[in-house]
Amino acid sequence: MKIPERILKKVEKPARYTGGEWGQVIKDKNAVDVRFAFCFPDTYEIGMSNLGIRILYHVLNSREDTWAERAYAPWVDMEACMRAENIPLWAHESGDPLKEFDILGFSVQYELCYTNVLNMLELAGIPLKSKDRDESYPVIMAGGPCTYNIEPIADYFDLCMIGEGEEVIEELVALYKEHKKKGFCKKEYLHEAAKLEGVYVPSLYTPAYNEDGTLSSFTPVYDDIPVKIKKRIVKDLNKSPFPTKLVLPFIQIVQDKITLEVYRGCIRGCRFCQAGMVWRPVREKTTDVLCEQAKVLADASGYDEMTLSSLSISDYSCIDKLTDELLAWTDERKISLSLPSLRVDSFTKELMEKISTVRTGSLTFAPEAGTQRLRDVINKNVRKEDLLRACRVAFEGGKTQVKLYFMQGLPTETYEDLDGIKELAESVIDEFYHTPNRPKKAPGVTLSTACFIPKPFTPFQWEAQCDMEELLARQKYLDSKIKDRKIKYNYHDAKVSRIEAVFARGDRKLNAALEAAHKRGLRFDGWDEHFNYEEWLKAFADAGVDPAFYANRVFGEDELLPWDNIDIGVTKEFFLRERHRAYAETTTKNCRETCNGCGANRLGGERSCCPGLKK
């Protein structure tokens, strides 16, 4: 299907919808057994930047029997045209309606994209709920970080991939092909798929509830499927699939650069951070492999910027060697090297000298909390002097602007801790003027604060988020304390954070609220111009759901949690131990200093799951 030119003239960015990009994969649909569409429930610019989809697109299109294509959520102007002219949502490569595909795979990265999933299904002419779809419709699967608690949107997916998808997605496609050849029966396919490691079929697990609304049990429908679904990981990243060609957009996207994945996992153990837990164990690529992959991507794309991707790039055990080897040829080719997610305690003059030749502008650090007491509570394991030392190195290197990220509403936070955020910013300004070789331009510090959101699979998964009035009061308080014009204060919308918290810790009863929100026309909730808190409250009321039950309640330590049927490797006992250490204001050493017995090494199949662990 080709979108008529008259419609493209009506929309803001026509190139979002035309397809035809260099690097896209075109196959004969009559010569393949399985047609798969990766569906990203947000705009083209965001979806095209997703590294996971790039990798899996390569994995499936490397199979002769499969053709993988792409689809994105149309912006509101295109959606209006589609509805007016009855145009179904289509795939970029072929232009065929999504309804004609065998499998649709949604990448669910963020809770506030859930309404977009429902909207995309409706635009495709596909029944929203799994139970209403027979064999004539595609199998709808989910992947991405939100699948670690998919319960609030579970009714809408046939199956979910838990963990890393490079291997399991091929197994699911091969199983589909096998069932298709003998006459596809959705019920039989899902039953067999549920036996695969890393696959969760929500309809095959029945939740029951106590009188107080908490979960009492989670029971498999069949005896031959696992009670707990173990996440999948790729054990050897050096041998993991790697795209040698990229689909290059016609318009600028969010990550319009080479993204080089350096390693997975995190050694740190920040108690609020879900990513640092669910990505364990740590697995690194060697510098030889990384340099070879970087050159392949540079040759294939022509990009002039490369970012090294990881949760904390300066924790890569061979970071100095890697940057030296990359700069040996990227400088000559005028490819700038970007090192995001730098920690203040591992930011060095040597790194600064390397990136100063290729990167201008501000540096960003994340102290997360304003006082040492609260940084110990969250196990950030950085000190004020670490931050000031890193800033001094930046100032000596010619930087004048520093961005600092914090969270507000953390467990045990007091207004004294909020004062600490202001005082830390003032200390950074003072450090600039105490730096002998500072630039002549005046300094600036930008404070960006987000509201704490209790996330599954963290030591803080039991904690309550502050209620709305308190979140707003804390934001207003800190704003009133900042008097220095050199300090700018930005804060995330607390109302958005509350909805995110509700769905982060939700159970299946929230599926009804999601349907109510969809009926009220809610979508693109992650975009300020479309988020409507009052309509969300009405949707909760429509469904008879109290959002405070999920966002503002301390969960019991002996309570069955909605995500307890998922095994990420890290044990619940470890999370409880870390929660108690948080309230004792006691820190835990990082994984490279000592093994803390989190349990993740069970997945890696090794005695030590952290490269560089001290003996």
Side-chain angles (χ1 to χ4, degrees), residues 529-543:
E529 62 265 46
H530 291 288
F531 179 74
N532 191 322
Y533 184 66
E534 288 68 31
E535 284 297 302
W536 266 110
L537 294 183
K538 292 176 183 176
F540 288 131
D542 292 344

Side-chain angles (χ1 to χ4, degrees), residues 552-567:
N552 309 118
R553 178 176 67 90
V554 176
F555 287 8
E557 289 190 351
D558 58 351
E559 182 178 332
L560 182 66
L561 303 176
W563 50 92
D564 275 346
N565 61 334
I566 305 296
D567 178 9

Side-chain angles (χ1 to χ4, degrees), residues 361-410:
S362 63
L363 281 173
T364 301
F365 299 114
E368 306 292 2
T371 63
Q372 192 58 50
R373 183 201 70 81
L374 192 53
R375 285 193 292 275
D376 289 346
V377 167
I378 65 176
N379 203 46
K380 187 64 182 177
N381 277 323
V382 297
R383 307 189 71 80
K384 178 179 179 180
E385 48 266 36
D386 295 324
L387 174 64
L388 297 182
R389 180 198 57 78
C391 289
R392 183 166 62 253
V393 170
F395 297 146
E396 288 174 347
K399 306 294 183 185
T400 60
Q401 302 296 311
V402 175
K403 294 180 181 178
L404 301 178
Y405 282 112
F406 295 90
M407 272 187 283
Q408 291 177 287
L410 285 161

Side-chain angles (χ1 to χ4, degrees), residues 184-254:
F184 186 75
C185 173
K186 179 180 174 181
K187 182 178 179 181
E188 292 178 3
Y189 172 73
L190 293 180
H191 185 184
E192 290 302 310
K195 299 175 186 178
L196 297 175
E197 184 178 285
V199 175
Y200 174 42
V201 179
S203 62
L204 301 186
Y205 295 82
T206 305
Y209 300 90
N210 299 306
E211 289 185 5
D212 64 359
T214 59
L215 275 167
S216 61
S217 63
F218 223 88
T219 309
V221 172
Y222 300 111
D223 293 334
D224 58 351
I225 62 175
V227 175
K228 267 201 165 190
I229 296 86
K230 183 179 177 182
K231 79 171 183 183
R232 286 289 285 266
I233 68 165
V234 176
K235 294 180 180 180
D236 187 350
L237 287 191
N238 285 325
K239 298 177 181 178
S240 65
F242 166 75
T244 55
K245 189 168 70 170
L246 301 178
V247 182
L248 299 179
F250 293 128
I251 59 175
Q252 186 172 7
I253 59 176
V254 174

Side-chain angles (χ1 to χ4, degrees), residues 453-474:
I453 298 169
K455 290 280 189 174
F457 298 111
T458 67
F460 288 162
Q461 64 185 352
W462 292 275
E463 309 302 329
Q465 186 183 63
C466 293
D467 62 36
M468 182 57 59
E469 292 72 21
E470 184 59 29
L471 286 174
L472 295 173
R474 295 188 189 202

